Amino acid sequence: MGFTHLHVHTEYSLLDGSSKITEIVKQAKALGMENLAITDHGAMYGVIDFYKECKAQGVHPVIGCEVYVAERSRFQKEGRSDAEYYHLVLLAETQQGYENLIKMVSLGFIEGFYYKPRVDKELLKEYHEGIIALSACLAGEIPDALRKGLYQTALNAAQEMSEIFGEDHFYLELQDHGIPDQKTVNQGLLRLAKDTGLELVATNDIHYTLAEDAQAHDVLLCIQTGKKVADT
């Protein structure tokens, strides 16, 4: 059974991802991977180029997006409180799912833009058909609650997502990048899986293609955050 990367940021995750589509598809092919996802932050700018490149290189493309979910409503834009948001990975399973994903991402810009293009639970409920959701990185609603020791909050959020997408279309996402908080969160996710019956999926939060790209990616993040390379 081969491994499929389902959490992938390309250069279209602006000032955050540095993987060029041609390079990352080529690397997936070289590693013998038959499938590869694209889940750029809040946008789908790269999906057509990604689709074409995957088809050209014989890799099955999985079209997705890591959306920003407003804590309240996408229409509320008051101060810093509404600048807070959660991450959620959405993957199109069907043609309808692809069209629903386009609709949600578009409305995130048109109606929900406040610091970031934001969707909300209302849109997730309306356009969930044909979409598989993953609980995302430490910035996801469920991992964030687990990191803070709020297990019941995480449980409630997991049950809500399961109700929105369907139990077989929502997965708890395990990641391990050597970050201490992830070890805490992963234990909580294992407990959630046992308590809810939800399935687990292992992902890697890809932002660059090769190990030697790390330094250049660090510079990119410094540009995004206004930091210096020497900063921790």
Side-chain angles (χ1 to χ4, degrees):
M1 181 73 69
F3 181 80
T4 296
H5 280 295
L6 296 176
H7 193 136
V8 182
H9 297 285
T10 73
E11 60 193 317
Y12 290 97
S13 286
L14 304 180
L15 290 182
D16 190 66
S18 60
S19 294
K20 291 180 173 59
I21 286 174
T22 303
E23 292 177 356
I24 200 165
V25 175
K26 180 181 178 181
Q27 180 67 0
K29 179 74 172 179
L31 293 171
M33 295 181 176
E34 297 178 356
N35 316 282
L36 183 66
I38 181 172
T39 58
D40 283 314
H41 278 304
M44 297 175 67
Y45 308 133
V47 299
I48 300 299
D49 288 344
F50 177 80
Y51 179 88
K52 290 179 178 178
E53 189 62 33
C54 282
K55 287 297 186 181
Q57 296 200 38
V59 175
H60 175 72
V62 179
I63 304 301
C65 182
E66 185 170 19
V67 296
Y68 300 106
V69 183
E71 288 194 20
R72 300 196 295 172
S73 165
R74 69 187 185 278
F75 295 110
Q76 291 179 291
K77 304 172 184 180
E78 302 169 9
R80 289 299 303 175
S81 61
D82 286 315
E84 301 297 323
Y85 47 79
Y86 296 116
H87 293 192
L88 184 69
V89 174
L90 303 179
L91 304 170
E93 181 186 30
T94 62
Q95 177 66 26
Q96 184 180 357
Y98 173 62
E99 292 172 8
N100 282 338
L101 191 57
I102 290 172
K103 188 71 173 178
M104 271 195 282
V105 169
S106 296
L107 290 173
F109 278 96
I110 296 167
E111 298 177 345
F113 196 93
Y114 187 65
Y115 292 88
K116 299 286 186 181
R118 306 169 307 149
V119 302
D120 58 13
K121 300 285 178 66
E122 180 186 19
L123 287 179
L124 296 178
K125 290 173 183 175
E126 185 172 356
Y127 297 106
H128 72 277
E129 194 70 35
I131 290 176
I132 293 171
L134 315 182
S135 60
C137 55
L138 290 174
E141 182 177 11
I142 295 166
D144 182 67
L146 292 172
R147 183 176 58 83
K148 294 174 179 174
L150 304 174
Y151 183 76
Q152 187 60 47
T153 301
L155 178 63
N156 293 343
Q159 290 172 334
E160 182 180 22
M161 287 293 107
S162 179
E163 289 170 5
I164 290 173
F165 292 97
E167 188 174 333
D168 60 340
H169 281 67
F170 178 67
Y171 291 79
L172 300 171
E173 187 173 349
L174 295 166
Q175 295 184 341
D176 185 3
H177 305 94
I179 302 170
D181 278 350
Q182 285 180 328
K183 298 188 183 300
T184 301
V185 167
N186 286 345
Q187 290 304 310
L189 291 171
L190 292 171
R191 180 182 171 190
L192 275 177
K194 185 176 180 181
D195 289 347
T196 62
L198 290 169
E199 297 287 345
L200 297 158
V201 60
T203 72
N204 208 351
D205 201 351
I206 295 175
H207 286 73
Y208 53 91
T209 306
L210 303 171
E212 52 264 37
D213 297 335
Q215 186 175 359
H217 185 260
D218 187 38
V219 172
L220 183 73
L221 291 186
C222 288
I223 296 169
Q224 180 208 138
T225 57
K227 303 293 185 181
K228 297 178 180 178
V229 173
D231 293 336
T232 302

